Amino acid sequence: MSLIVQKYGGTSVADIERIRNVARRVTACRKRGDDVVVVVSAMSGETNRLLALAHDMCPEPDKRESDVLVSTGEQVTTALLAMALTHGGCPAVSLQGHQIRIVTDQAYSKARIRSIDDARIRAELAAGKVVVVAGFQGVDEDDNITTLGRGGSDTSGVALAAALEADSCEIYTDVDGVYTSDPRICPQAKKLARISYDEMLELASLGAKVLQIRSVEFAKRYSVPVHVRSSFTDTEGTWVVAEEASMEDVLVSGVTSDSNEAKITLVGVPDQPGLAARVFGPIADANIVVDMIIQNASAEGTTDLTFTVPKADFKQAIALVETLKRETNAKGVRTDENIAKVSVVGLGMRSHAGVAAKMFRTLADQNINIQMISTSEIKTSIVVDAKYVELAVRVLHDTFIGKEPDA
Ligand code: ADP
Ligand code: ASP
Ligand code: MG
């Protein structure tokens, strides 16, 4: 007998019929003799609807209350699915984040899971029930409701699988696996049978929202095998697993894009020791994650510092940088929201030179200007004007992965 954690995303629980479909899948798994813990998202569109309500109420909703509001989406789904299961003869119980003490830090809307108490879940499983857990939500040490960031139910699923030492975590979604690129942007994308945690970490952090990055961090840290698959078919999906020897043979395993960042340039700052610390200290203190950074060569004792931040934190970051401009006597602040980051990822990049050069050549052939570049051992990312994002993804996919659709 195995213990399986199954996470169903928003489209898989979008309406009553789809929730019944999930109940049928879960029941089939129970009938095979496995224990099942199900993690559900809010019904498709519900989290956006709730966020819009909050913004209708006030332009900058209180973060604590916003989390109280948006966490209700998942609660609805847990109850409906537990009803469907029990009604169909498969006893089930719904549990919310606070009832199993999914304890997080206090970073509302982007909280991190610190601990999970598995006692209640184990007791319910021992009583023969399917446990249906609300994804995306937890509580801080003072019992305030928190949420884990968009796509956070993936992280709830994998973190629960880790805490329960489950045999695997199945992520059910509206695609039948992880593809070499977002199939919505790149019709030539191919389904990957297996992918390493490290590559998946890069893909997720660089825009492949099929898995939330923190879910992959948990999977890697606790060696949870993750199976990404469709809730609408029975085809085998993609296994996200520890690196295997043959994986390095593939030069590029994915091309991603991310349009959720914006660029800020602090122009003409004095080029002195401690400057970067002075600029990025307050930004880090505000819990804003800075992604790419470039500093121009110094000219006449001053330099330009350009970096990207999530669009959600753009306004706050600009306010901080305006203050820094005054404090450092910088010449100005330039901002640009119309950018996109495009990346190629692959374990094979560790041992093969020339990927970055080939990437730049491919973009040059299309007359696409590169604004920023960053590299790591297994990825190269560039920032381009947002209007080129889809073209850049497609030509890079053609170059590194091929033009032919999956056989
Ligand atoms: P869910 O609601 O089930 O969590 P998401 O919308 O969060 O689903 O994630 C699934 C979507 O991720 C797919 O519909 C697809 O458009 C997108 N996606 C982006 N990159 C990839 C990729 N490399 N492989 C598969 N899907 C991807
Ligand atoms: N419902 C949340 C969201 O839309 C969490 C999730 O679906 O994973 O982001
Ligand atoms: Mg998702």
Side-chain angles (χ1 to χ4, degrees):
M1 190 176 79
S2 308
L3 170 58
I4 315 279
V5 174
Q6 298 188 334
K7 177 260 168 177
Y8 290 90
T11 41
S12 303
V13 293
D15 55 35
I16 293 294
E17 204 30 62
R18 289 194 181 171
I19 294 176
R20 287 202 182 111
N21 172 52
V22 170
R24 281 192 289 274
R25 283 184 167 271
V26 174
T27 306
C29 192
R30 277 294 288 148
K31 285 201 173 132
R32 286 194 292 272
D34 293 333
D35 275 340
V36 191
V37 173
V38 187
V39 175
V40 285
S41 290
M43 295 163 82
S44 168
E46 180 62 5
T47 308
N48 288 345
R49 188 185 75 84
L50 293 167
L51 282 171
L53 274 182
H55 283 93
D56 286 349
M57 185 53 73
C58 45
E60 301 274 335
D62 180 86
K63 290 191 166 177
R64 179 185 183 280
E65 302 313 331
S66 188
D67 274 8
V68 171
L69 179 69
V70 291
S71 67
T72 61
E74 274 65 17
Q75 179 163 346
V76 170
T77 326
T78 56
L80 290 173
L81 179 58
M83 284 174 201
L85 283 162
T86 306
H87 183 75
C90 181
V93 58
S94 67
L95 291 174
Q96 309 308 302
H98 67 93
Q99 292 172 301
I100 43 176
R101 297 215 51 78
I102 298 182
V103 177
T104 71
D105 61 18
Q106 212 187 33
Y108 294 118
S109 83
K110 48 183 170 187
R112 283 178 173 271
I113 296 179
R114 285 189 174 153
S115 63
I116 295 180
D117 182 355
D118 62 356
R120 176 82 189 263
I121 297 184
R122 290 210 190 272
E124 299 289 1
L125 290 174
K129 289 188 185 154
V130 169
V131 182
V132 184
V133 177
F136 184 50
Q137 54 169 265
V139 282
D140 69 9
E141 304 279 358
D142 301 322
D143 278 348
N144 297 298
I145 293 174
T146 55
T147 63
L148 310 180
R150 298 310 302 267
S153 299
D154 297 332
T155 302
S156 311
V158 179
L160 270 169
L164 294 164
E165 294 176 354
D167 294 274
S168 68
C169 180
E170 299 179 337
I171 302 281
Y172 286 93
T173 183
D174 58 356
V175 270
D176 60 1
V178 178
Y179 278 69
T180 49
S181 194
D182 185 343
R184 288 187 212 192
I185 296 184
C186 187
Q188 280 87 6
K190 301 172 207 297
K191 188 166 88 183
L192 296 158
R194 297 169 89 73
I195 185 167
S196 69
Y197 292 128
D198 285 330
E199 285 168 302
M200 194 64 233
L201 269 177
E202 292 284 11
L203 290 180
S205 76
L206 297 169
K209 68 165 190 158
V210 62
L211 284 178
Q212 198 199 35
I213 178 162
R214 284 182 195 157
S215 69
V216 192
E217 287 168 2
F218 268 104
K220 182 180 174 188
R221 189 170 340 138
Y222 297 100
S223 301
V224 180
V226 174
H227 188 187
V228 179
R229 55 193 312 196
S230 165
S231 62
F232 306 114
T233 67
D234 282 324
T235 43
E236 182 85 356
T238 301
W239 283 93
V240 186
V241 289
E243 189 176 331
E244 294 157 2
S246 61
M247 285 177 171
E248 229 186 63
D249 297 346
V250 180
L251 185 59
V252 169
S253 51
V255 180
T256 59
S257 64
D258 184 353
S259 303
N260 286 317
E261 289 188 9
K263 192 172 76 169
I264 301 179
T265 305
L266 188 55
V267 185
V269 263
D271 194 6
Q272 292 158 352
L275 173 83
R278 228 172 129 188
V279 173
F280 294 111
I283 294 175
D285 292 344
N287 222 340
I288 297 174
V289 179
V290 172
D291 179 24
M292 288 165 112
I293 302 176
I294 49 171
Q295 183 175 335
N296 288 5
S298 179
E300 290 159 16
T302 67
T303 183
D304 298 343
L305 207 53
T306 303
F307 57 96
T308 61
V309 295
K311 276 189 180 149
D313 298 322
F314 194 37
K315 271 197 203 145
Q316 199 186 352
I318 293 172
L320 290 168
V321 176
E322 289 288 354
T323 309
L324 287 160
K325 182 192 116 186
R326 287 189 292 277
E327 289 174 5
T328 58
N329 283 325
K331 292 199 189 101
V333 176
R334 269 202 310 263
T335 62
D336 187 356
E337 265 192 290
N338 292 318
I339 59 155
K341 183 169 62 172
V342 179
S343 313
V344 299
V345 174
L347 286 180
M349 289 165 74
R350 274 189 208 140
S351 42
H352 295 78
V355 171
K358 200 165 170 186
M359 186 174 180
F360 304 153
R361 168 58 36 217
T362 304
L363 296 168
D365 288 346
Q366 301 292 327
N367 253 326
I368 300 175
N369 186 42
I370 299 171
Q371 302 180 9
M372 299 173 89
I373 301 170
S374 88
T375 62
S376 79
E377 208 187 15
I378 62 165
K379 71 117 200 283
T380 302
S381 299
I382 47 108
V383 168
V384 296
D385 189 315
K387 68 179 180 230
Y388 294 124
V389 60
E390 298 199 354
L391 175 64
V393 167
R394 287 197 203 109
V395 293
L396 290 170
H397 193 276
D398 283 355
T399 299
F400 289 108
I401 293 164
K403 291 184 185 169
E404 300 307 315
D406 225 353

